[in-house]
Amino acid sequence: MKTNKPVLFAAGSLTLALALSACGAPDEEAPATSSDSADDGDSGGGGVLELLGDLASRTEAVDNYTLDMDITSTDPELGETEMTFTYEVMADPQAAQVTVYMPAMGEMFAELGGPGAGLSAEEMSTSTVIVPAEGEMLVSNHNGLQEADTAWVRGGAGEGQQPVTDSMFDTSELPKVAGAVASIDTIEETGSEEVDGVSTTVLEGSFTAEDLDELEPDQRSALDELVGGATGAMDVSLWVSDDGFPMRMDFSDDVSSISMVYSQLGETSFEMPSEDEITDL
């Protein structure tokens, strides 16, 4: 994988939760993921293949969740870079609240001074946006860096905020990523563990360069966008619930590691700002 992934993630993953209308199937019941649900939770004779069989469709069916993504990347010149993204996605109304924490960015702005001088590095490191299914993105003014007296602004980000571009990875691509992972021939069961109170089976495997080349084009494209370009061997770990939902997915190579953990399935919500809390820029 490329060593410039921190830039790719900063620009792309910030809005991972954008394609809300494609994220879930409104008429399809989301899979039960509690440890006491479904008599079909026993993977039985199907073993790993049965757990992976519906991985993509189960991922697509969920349209209310919290997703925490932790990224660590090592660069020979920049050293180790850490980033955390928290996506709160709700279905009614359809919207996603995304909180980004990038310590290196805050430290850089704190050293340079200028806008936000006097804010802590942590305050400068944190950005929050709300992306509705319809309408423009809202940017939080929690650190006072926006040219407004309101808690939110609509239409842009102020100086020192995280970049937002049209090159976005959205949640409609996650089922394709899950489908790509489900195609790994070498994947095997390695144990069991609870994730957010849900019993899961832990599976581990790896992509070779040849495996990546043999993926369906849409799966390869989605995986490339997620990891910033998959070009060589990559280890993958999965935590799959009894009914086939990927409660956690980890990807790693000798440069970077990504961990995506789901929680609050069917229970995620946040308050949308009222118009008097928003300034249009």
Side-chain angles (χ1 to χ4, degrees):
M1 283 187 275
K2 300 176 184 178
T3 58
N4 62 342
K5 279 197 284 288
V7 176
L8 290 168
F9 279 122
S13 293
L14 175 62
T15 47
L16 179 65
L18 276 177
L20 299 172
S21 59
C23 158
D27 297 328
E28 182 176 350
E29 185 177 353
T33 54
S34 62
S35 58
D36 60 356
S37 68
D39 292 334
D40 61 357
D42 186 0
S43 58
V48 172
L49 291 179
E50 184 172 338
L51 283 174
L52 295 177
D54 295 326
L55 200 67
S57 61
R58 291 289 187 178
T59 304
E60 186 174 18
V62 173
D63 60 1
N64 179 290
Y65 57 86
T66 295
L67 178 66
D68 290 299
M69 178 185 290
D70 293 320
I71 304 162
T72 302
S73 184
T74 303
D75 183 273
E77 297 181 0
L78 300 176
E80 186 173 276
T81 301
E82 296 180 356
M83 293 169 278
T84 300
F85 300 80
T86 299
Y87 313 94
E88 298 170 88
V89 179
M90 62 181 180
D92 186 19
Q94 286 188 322
Q97 180 167 266
V98 188
T99 300
V100 186
Y101 179 62
M102 301 177 65
M105 186 74 71
E107 292 170 3
M108 179 182 71
F109 282 119
E111 291 176 0
L112 292 176
L119 293 175
S120 68
E122 182 173 356
E123 289 171 321
M124 293 290 290
S125 298
T126 304
S127 295
T128 301
V129 299
I130 292 178
V131 187
E134 297 181 1
E136 294 185 77
M137 179 182 67
L138 304 177
V139 180
S140 173
N141 193 25
H142 65 281
N143 49 21
L145 293 179
Q146 308 299 329
E147 296 180 358
D149 295 328
T150 54
W152 297 86
V153 299
R154 181 192 286 122
E159 185 174 356
Q161 299 301 288
Q162 305 299 338
V164 180
T165 74
D166 292 333
S167 300
M168 300 171 180
F169 188 92
D170 60 66
T171 52
S172 67
E173 299 296 288
L174 284 176
K176 298 173 185 176
V177 173
V181 171
S183 73
I184 299 176
D185 292 331
T186 58
I187 205 159
E188 61 182 15
E189 181 178 339
T190 60
S192 61
E193 189 176 330
E194 282 197 359
V195 179
D196 193 45
V198 177
S199 298
T200 69
T201 299
V202 184
L203 307 175
E204 296 183 357
S206 61
F207 284 112
T208 64
E210 292 75 17
D211 292 333
L212 293 170
D213 290 338
E214 292 174 0
L215 289 174
E216 296 292 330
D218 59 343
Q219 293 178 343
R220 176 62 187 269
S221 176
L223 190 62
D224 281 345
E225 288 189 38
L226 175 65
V227 303
T231 59
M234 180 168 54
D235 294 328
V236 179
S237 298
L238 282 175
W239 285 253
V240 185
S241 66
D242 292 342
D243 53 13
F245 183 80
M247 290 295 298
R248 175 175 174 178
M249 291 190 287
D250 287 6
F251 303 85
S252 64
D253 64 2
D254 56 353
V255 175
S256 299
S257 64
I258 310 165
S259 179
M260 299 190 297
V261 182
Y262 283 92
S263 62
Q264 300 296 307
L265 271 66
E267 300 177 358
T268 295
S269 66
F270 56 89
E271 185 174 349
M272 294 291 290
S274 59
E275 283 300 315
D276 61 3
E277 297 178 287
I278 303 169
T279 295
D280 288 298
L281 297 181

